[in-house]
Amino acid sequence: MEPVLQCKNLNIAYNGHTVVKDVSFDVMPGEYLCIVGENGSGKSSLVKGLLNLVPVRSGSVSFAEGVSGGIGYLPQQSPIQRDFPASVEEVVLLGCIKNTGFRPFFSKSEKKTAEENMKQLHIFDIRKKSYRELSGGQQQRVLLARALCSADRMLLLDEPVTGLDPIVSSELYSVIHKLNHERNLTVVMVSHDIASATANADKILHLDEKVEFFGTADEYLDSNLGKRFAKGV
Amino acid sequence: MDFSAFFEYLSMMVTYDFAKKALIVGSLTALCSALLGVSLVLKRYSMIGDGLSHVGFGALCVASVLNLAPLKVAVPVVIVAAFFLLKLSENSKIKGDAAIAMISGTAVAAGLVITSFVDGLSSDVSGYMFGSILSIDDSDVPLSVILSVVVILLYVLFYNRIFSVTFDESFSKAAGIKVDLYNALIALLTAVTIVIGMKLMGTVLISGLIIFPPLSAMRVCKSFKSVTAVSAVISVICFVVGIFLSFVFDTPAGATVVLVNAVTFAVFFAAGKLKKA
């Protein structure tokens, strides 16, 4: 089987300061990969590099044919968004925007896609509510639904549970797990929650500028690095 | 005063040519600025609007010293300034707000010094600073109408993209939207709107026209579409009411319009609080 994503010797630097150094890994179709590491270890930069949102200094990122058009991205929330006056429905529909081309309005089928994704994430009943009135967990579901509208192959999630309480976090993890299985979506998630990462993901990439570990979740838990981090350092 | 008296007065007002021109140009400006204001306020770019009006003041002063058509000088200068200020705000290395204040001050200072060399321009200067209902001449009307229509058309055409970029730049970029291009479009349309409205509203008052209507709308509206629509409606109504009151009570037009907007904001603020309670 061919990998959906191949990252080879990737280097990313901001203002001459290296944040991602010589990172290589493959992701197979349907796989669930968690990128873990401490704050400032380059996790988010790596994801942005994969999406070409930040300039890559050297190395290559290649997706299998047809994948790059079907990636759903869930970025970290910006402070601007928290009190943004937009309805749930409007935000989710924005996930369909890449197919609109020069058409200024959304089509019926795009609205249908948005509706299905809202139903799956149990936010259909609050679709008329304003995004700023929602709880943190609901806001993440809305952003995940938006990501799903553009994802038929892969989800890239950047710290989706930041700031959520443990119960809401585990709900969100089970939603992502379900999507990974039911829709056969490849999942790449940045997280600093090692316990949930190893419980949910097939593979772990531990990053500290460079790759410290890359392998299955079980191997990670057996490794010295994994043992140290799983204890909660 | 009942409504029939209001309309009677209004119909009398539009028999005056200057008032008719001011109403046409002003309503269109009010509509454009309210649409763009939504994105500017949400993206925390309100200061860019303020900075641009000050650059516009400098440009209008230079135009009157050189005896050139004011809009033809100010439009390109303010557009260039818009791209420059946008870059400054995006660059985290430079303190964007301080840089904008610095540029605003310099532009106003340069305009005042340049006009001081030529006699008889002080009424022009005060008109540019505080706006004047009498300032709209015949050549301004067609140009303002064309520019406003272009602004409104582009806004409607790119509405979803502007919304997406305003809400989330990272996601939009990942979805293949040229975020820089749409930021530049917002800056460009803002620049054009400010220049059109400046002569009427004045340098120090035009930014009130940009930020008040969206802020009022955001107090009570839940969706982006309703915020945009309500902001546009509030803006045009406040403008017409403001001009009308300035006519009745013989007060400065721009200042009256901004005060009407301020009162409207207070009302919407209270309504928003009541709705929550």
Side-chain angles (χ1 to χ4, degrees):
Chain A
M1 212 170 15
E2 227 184 285
V4 273
L5 165 63
Q6 277 184 298
C7 181
K8 272 188 199 147
N9 309 106
L10 194 70
N11 284 284
I12 299 173
Y14 290 123
N15 306 319
H17 184 73
T18 303
V19 289
V20 170
K21 198 172 174 185
D22 200 30
V23 168
S24 301
F25 63 95
D26 290 351
V27 181
M28 302 305 282
E31 218 166 48
Y32 189 151
L33 170 74
C34 257
I35 302 172
V36 299
E38 288 172 273
N39 287 339
S41 56
K43 304 184 299 274
S44 290
S45 300
L46 174 59
V47 169
K48 287 184 181 148
L50 297 177
L51 287 164
N52 215 2
L53 299 181
V54 292
V56 165
R57 178 183 265 185
S58 66
S60 72
V61 175
S62 54
F63 290 95
E65 217 180 300
V67 172
S68 62
I71 299 175
Y73 176 42
L74 186 111
Q76 286 186 29
Q77 252 203 95
S78 68
I80 288 181
Q81 282 166 12
R82 289 189 204 284
D83 59 358
F84 201 96
S87 70
V88 167
E89 200 171 33
E90 284 180 316
V91 173
V92 175
L93 254 178
L94 286 179
C96 297
I97 202 155
K98 71 170 132 190
N99 307 316
T100 57
F102 277 99
R103 176 161 38 86
F105 303 104
F106 291 108
S107 69
K108 268 218 173 91
S109 72
E110 281 156 358
K111 285 178 184 158
K112 186 96 191 124
T113 307
E115 194 184 310
E116 279 161 12
N117 287 320
M118 284 190 281
K119 279 180 180 155
Q120 169 140 33
L121 293 183
H122 306 295
I123 50 171
F124 188 70
D125 293 339
I126 54 165
R127 66 189 182 281
K128 299 285 179 200
K129 271 204 164 187
S130 197
Y131 183 80
R132 62 182 171 190
E133 301 166 350
L134 305 181
S135 67
Q138 288 173 321
Q139 289 188 339
Q140 284 306 89
R141 278 168 187 265
V142 173
L143 297 185
L144 185 57
R146 178 184 62 164
L148 280 177
C149 287
S150 55
D152 47 17
R153 302 290 292 274
M154 186 187 260
L155 273 176
L156 279 178
L157 314 166
D158 195 350
E159 308 244 19
V161 301
T162 307
L164 303 184
D165 65 54
I167 295 171
V168 177
S169 297
S170 74
E171 278 171 10
L172 201 65
Y173 280 125
S174 72
V175 167
I176 294 162
H177 192 259
K178 219 170 140 188
L179 291 168
N180 174 239
H181 278 261
E182 286 176 6
R183 295 204 192 180
N184 200 27
L185 281 171
T186 308
V187 174
V188 175
M189 186 203 290
V190 171
S191 174
H192 54 231
D193 179 356
I194 305 273
S196 306
T198 49
N200 285 293
D202 303 316
K203 283 202 175 158
I204 301 288
L205 178 77
H206 190 120
L207 202 67
D208 188 8
E209 268 184 39
K210 51 194 191 316
V211 177
E212 295 286 336
F213 176 90
F214 177 55
T216 66
D218 292 338
E219 285 166 9
Y220 181 68
L221 285 173
D222 284 338
S223 71
N224 285 334
L225 183 71
K227 279 177 188 152
R228 197 149 54 82
F229 272 84
K231 266 187 233 150
V233 177
Chain B
M1 189 186 340
D2 61 40
F3 273 109
S4 64
F6 174 84
F7 284 112
E8 211 170 285
Y9 217 103
L10 205 62
S11 55
M12 188 194 85
M13 200 171 100
V14 294
T15 57
Y16 291 97
D17 196 40
F18 76 90
K20 197 159 64 188
K21 280 186 229 157
L23 275 175
I24 295 170
V25 173
S27 307
L28 285 168
T29 314
L31 183 58
C32 295
S33 57
L35 295 177
L36 294 162
V38 174
S39 282
L40 293 174
V41 167
L42 287 170
K43 285 173 86 72
R44 314 288 190 262
Y45 282 174
S46 301
M47 279 308 289
I48 291 186
D50 203 52
L52 289 181
S53 61
H54 289 83
V55 173
F57 175 82
L60 289 181
C61 288
V62 171
S64 47
V65 167
L66 299 176
N67 222 354
L68 297 167
L71 285 189
K72 278 175 192 146
V73 177
V75 169
V77 171
V78 176
I79 286 175
V80 171
F83 291 128
F84 191 63
L85 291 183
L86 189 66
K87 280 279 157 277
L88 278 179
S89 317
E90 282 168 358
N91 193 334
S92 50
K93 265 192 186 170
I94 308 164
K95 302 216 171 344
D97 57 340
I100 291 173
M102 221 159 63
I103 291 169
S104 300
T106 310
V108 171
L112 290 173
V113 169
I114 290 166
T115 44
S116 74
F117 290 129
V118 183
D119 285 337
L121 287 182
S122 63
S123 71
D124 283 17
V125 169
S126 115
Y128 297 154
M129 198 50 106
F130 303 111
S132 159
I133 193 169
L134 299 169
S135 67
I136 309 297
D137 51 51
D138 285 331
S139 69
D140 291 335
V141 177
L143 190 59
S144 306
V145 171
I146 292 168
L147 288 175
S148 309
V149 170
V150 169
V151 170
I152 293 163
L153 275 181
L154 285 174
Y155 190 89
V156 171
L157 201 58
F158 295 116
Y159 167 79
N160 279 319
R161 275 140 204 277
I162 291 173
F163 172 29
S164 184
V165 169
T166 306
F167 183 70
D168 190 340
E169 288 200 2
S170 304
F171 181 87
S172 305
K173 217 169 167 182
I177 296 176
K178 294 185 177 62
V179 169
D180 293 341
L181 186 75
Y182 287 95
N183 277 335
L185 180 71
I186 294 170
L188 172 83
L189 299 182
T190 307
V192 172
T193 304
I194 283 173
V195 178
I196 302 170
M198 260 190 69
K199 279 173 83 180
L200 186 62
M201 292 295 296
T203 302
V204 290
L205 296 167
I206 185 83
S207 54
L209 207 59
I210 293 176
I211 58 167
F212 266 125
L215 284 175
S216 299
M218 282 169 206
R219 292 295 116 199
V220 295
C221 297
K222 293 183 170 208
S223 70
F224 192 75
K225 197 175 273 170
S226 62
V227 166
T228 310
V230 170
S231 168
V233 171
I234 291 176
S235 186
V236 173
I237 291 178
C238 285
F239 179 80
V240 174
V241 170
I243 290 291
F244 175 74
L245 291 177
S246 83
F247 204 76
V248 175
F249 298 108
D250 196 24
T251 48
T256 314
V257 170
V258 170
L259 280 183
V260 171
N261 268 296
V263 170
T264 308
F265 174 75
V267 171
F268 276 74
F269 186 84
K273 287 269 180 235
L274 282 176
K275 218 171 144 189
K276 258 187 206 156

